[in-house]
């Protein structure tokens, strides 16, 4: 068994804060990929990144599997927690692509170590074995600079390189500087990686974040993870491809802040911030901005109340995914006849991943247990919302 030696870097925060370990994509570094997100989370987490073998300036020659790479990352994490003096050696985790695959192995093979995880732009299997072995052979023959053109096309959504040239340059420089053999060995590890039949063994809360424009790991792979684990949630970032932490640091930081919060460890302000993030994700920025703009001295305390307690304390809990919470909320609103709120939460249900057919089933079920007149009104309201959204 080969357990690679993993090196890392402190990105933000300090040892007095909960530990968040972040892992990069193949051919990138933790610094290049995660620094922007870490900067936004440094008030809430001690963000520490790890680098794959050969991605830290060192040479690597010994082959490894993805499970062995995860063991190396776990050994690195235990060193970090020991240096922090943590009595509880567990941590939160976030990883993109290769880093996400390592996260799946950590969740499966060391479940006591990971409190909660966010897996971005990854899959329980990524690509095909033949494609990975072919890429390994290409890199051994021509070096990592031969990957730059293809990676630039795969990694970024259209228009991003023009908007953020310095971010793109930093990531491509990290690829160019990666040891060719280390890159090739990681490709071969990914060729044999497949944990699709083990997902139901993951019990920690998992947030699966997809890029809508991601070609190497399309959204369906993240949906498979979210539906396969015990406590999974699925988010799709529009206008984002394969390197979500670099392409959308604000949105990724908001999602991680809400999902990875330590229960009972947040201040009131932290609960409010987490609630604001989830409220925006579920109801949409436009709705929340209108609500804030309409706030008066008379309603300010109520707005603060629902943000902290409804959104910050309940909607952020890991015990139910947002699809389930949307179903429950729709049923309760139908039962109580809260039609204005019902229209808003039909839109939220769509945003949380419910299909038109599933919304129909919720309303139909409500007809039996809440009453036909209530369901009749609900169908009318939902039909209007779906028509506005171009879905009916």
């Amino acid at each position: 068994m080969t357990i690679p030696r993993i090196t890392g870097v402190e990105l933000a925060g300090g040892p007095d804060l909960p530990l968040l370990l972040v892992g990069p994509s193949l051919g990138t570094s933790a610094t290049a990929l995660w620094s922007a997100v870490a900067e936004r989370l440094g008030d809430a987490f001690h963000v520490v990144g790890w680098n794959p073998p050969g991605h830290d300036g060192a040479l690597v020659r010994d082959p490894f599997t993805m499970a062995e790479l995860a063991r190396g990352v776990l050994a690195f994490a235990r060193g970090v927690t020991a240096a922090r003096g943590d009595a509880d050696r567990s941590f939160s985790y976030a990883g993109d692509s290769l880093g996400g695959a390592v996260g799946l192995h950590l969740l499966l093979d060391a479940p006591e170590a990971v409190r909660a995880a966010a897996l971005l732009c990854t899959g329980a299997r990524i690509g095909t074995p033949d494609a990975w072995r072919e890429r390994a052979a290409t890199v051994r023959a021509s070096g990592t600079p031969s990957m730059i053109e293809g990676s630039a096309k795969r990694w970024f959504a259209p228009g991003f390189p023009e908007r953020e040239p310095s971010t793109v340059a930093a990531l491509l420089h990290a690829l160019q500087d990666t040891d060719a053999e280390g890159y090739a060995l990681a490709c071969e590890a990914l060729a044999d990686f497949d944990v699709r039949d083990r997902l139901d063994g993951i019990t920690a809360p998992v947030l699966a974040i997809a890029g809508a424009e991601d070609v190497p790991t399309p959204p369906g792979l993240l949906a498979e993870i979210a539906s396969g684990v015990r406590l999974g949630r699925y988010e799709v970032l529009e206008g984002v491809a394969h390197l979500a932490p670099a392409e959308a640091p604000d949105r990724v930081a908001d999602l991680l802040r809400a999902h990875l919060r330590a229960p009972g460890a947040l201040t009131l302000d932290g609960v409010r911030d987490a609630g604001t993030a989830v409220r925006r994700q579920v109801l949409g920025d436009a709705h929340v901005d209108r609500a804030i703009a309409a706030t008066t001295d008379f309603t300010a305390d109520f707005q603060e109340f629902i943000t902290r307690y409804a959104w910050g304390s309940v909607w952020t809990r890991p015990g139910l995914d947002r699809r389930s919470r949307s179903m429950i909320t729709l049923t309760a609103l139908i039962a109580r006849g809260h039609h204005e709120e019902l229209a808003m939460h039909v839109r939220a249900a769509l945003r949380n991943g419910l299909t038109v057919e599933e919304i129909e089933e919720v309303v139909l079920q409500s007809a039996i247990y809440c009453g036909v007149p209530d369901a009749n009104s609900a169908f009318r309201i939902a039909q209007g919302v779906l028509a506005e959204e171009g879905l009916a």
Side-chain angles (χ1 to χ4, degrees):
M1 178 186 298
T2 300
I3 303 208
R5 179 180 177 275
I6 299 299
T7 63
V9 58
E10 288 190 84
L11 297 175
D16 57 322
L17 295 169
L19 177 62
L20 169 58
L21 190 67
V22 297
S25 175
L26 175 64
T28 71
S29 69
T31 301
L33 184 59
W34 282 100
S35 285
V37 171
E39 180 182 351
R40 290 157 172 79
L41 293 177
D43 63 320
F45 295 96
H46 182 202
V47 187
V48 176
W50 66 268
N51 289 312
H55 291 58
D56 55 0
L59 301 180
V60 57
R61 296 295 177 264
D62 295 327
F64 53 84
T65 67
M66 289 300 298
E68 290 166 345
L69 179 57
R71 291 189 190 102
V73 172
L74 181 61
F76 170 76
R78 285 174 173 159
V80 174
T81 56
R84 285 163 45 98
D86 292 344
D88 178 2
R89 305 290 291 276
S90 65
F91 53 89
S92 296
Y93 184 84
D96 186 283
S97 192
L98 171 74
V102 166
L104 285 169
H105 264 296
L106 289 171
L107 289 161
L108 286 164
D109 301 336
E112 76 290 346
V114 183
R115 291 191 292 265
L119 307 177
L120 300 85
C121 306
T122 191
R125 185 183 73 168
I126 303 173
T128 66
D130 287 346
W132 284 119
R133 294 190 177 102
E134 181 180 338
R135 191 189 298 189
T138 298
V139 169
R140 285 193 174 105
S142 305
T144 50
S146 65
M147 293 290 106
I148 289 177
E149 182 178 356
S151 296
K153 293 177 181 177
R154 291 190 298 268
W155 282 356
F156 309 113
F160 183 78
E162 292 74 25
R163 293 194 306 274
E164 297 289 344
S166 60
T167 300
V168 171
L171 288 160
L172 294 178
H173 277 304
L175 172 59
Q176 180 173 297
D177 292 343
T178 298
D179 172 53
E181 183 63 15
Y183 186 103
L185 291 171
C187 288
E188 290 170 342
L190 284 165
D192 296 325
F193 168 69
D194 188 348
V195 296
R196 290 175 294 176
D197 62 349
R198 299 179 62 195
L199 290 176
D200 64 354
I202 295 175
T203 57
V206 172
L207 171 62
I209 303 175
E213 307 296 326
D214 190 356
V215 174
T217 53
L221 296 187
L222 282 303
E224 179 183 44
I225 291 172
S227 62
V229 302
R230 305 281 183 88
L231 293 173
R233 187 159 63 81
Y234 173 58
E235 295 282 348
V236 179
L237 301 180
E238 298 298 329
V240 171
H242 192 57
L243 300 185
E247 293 180 273
D250 286 326
R251 285 182 282 173
V252 169
D254 284 346
L255 287 167
L256 266 57
R257 185 183 292 273
H259 178 68
L260 301 176
R261 70 188 184 100
L266 288 185
T267 63
L268 285 177
D269 285 344
V271 172
R272 181 190 60 211
D273 291 344
T276 298
V278 174
R279 189 180 183 190
R280 287 186 177 278
Q281 292 154 19
V282 173
L283 300 182
D285 287 333
H287 174 88
V288 176
D289 288 342
R290 285 194 301 271
I292 292 172
T295 300
T296 65
D297 290 343
F298 183 66
T299 63
D301 287 343
F302 177 69
Q303 287 294 321
E304 180 78 0
F305 173 79
I306 60 174
T307 300
R308 282 185 173 174
Y309 292 97
W311 297 105
S313 295
V314 175
W315 273 84
T316 57
R317 289 177 62 84
L320 291 173
D321 61 22
R322 289 190 191 167
R323 286 169 43 82
S324 300
R325 292 191 188 279
S326 273
M327 291 182 185
I328 293 167
T329 302
L330 290 176
T331 303
L333 294 173
I334 291 169
R336 299 288 294 175
H338 297 311
H339 295 161
E340 181 180 352
E341 293 275 316
L342 177 60
M344 176 179 73
H345 275 279
V346 169
R347 293 186 180 90
L350 293 169
R351 191 172 287 107
N352 282 342
L354 266 69
T355 65
V356 172
E357 292 75 19
E358 288 170 330
I359 292 172
E360 177 188 352
E361 291 300 323
V362 171
V363 181
L364 189 60
Q365 184 88 2
S366 299
I368 302 300
Y369 293 96
C370 301
V372 171
D374 292 315
N376 186 51
S377 297
F379 270 116
R380 173 178 54 78
I381 292 163
Q383 180 76 26
V385 171
L386 295 175
E388 291 174 10
E389 299 293 327
L391 296 173

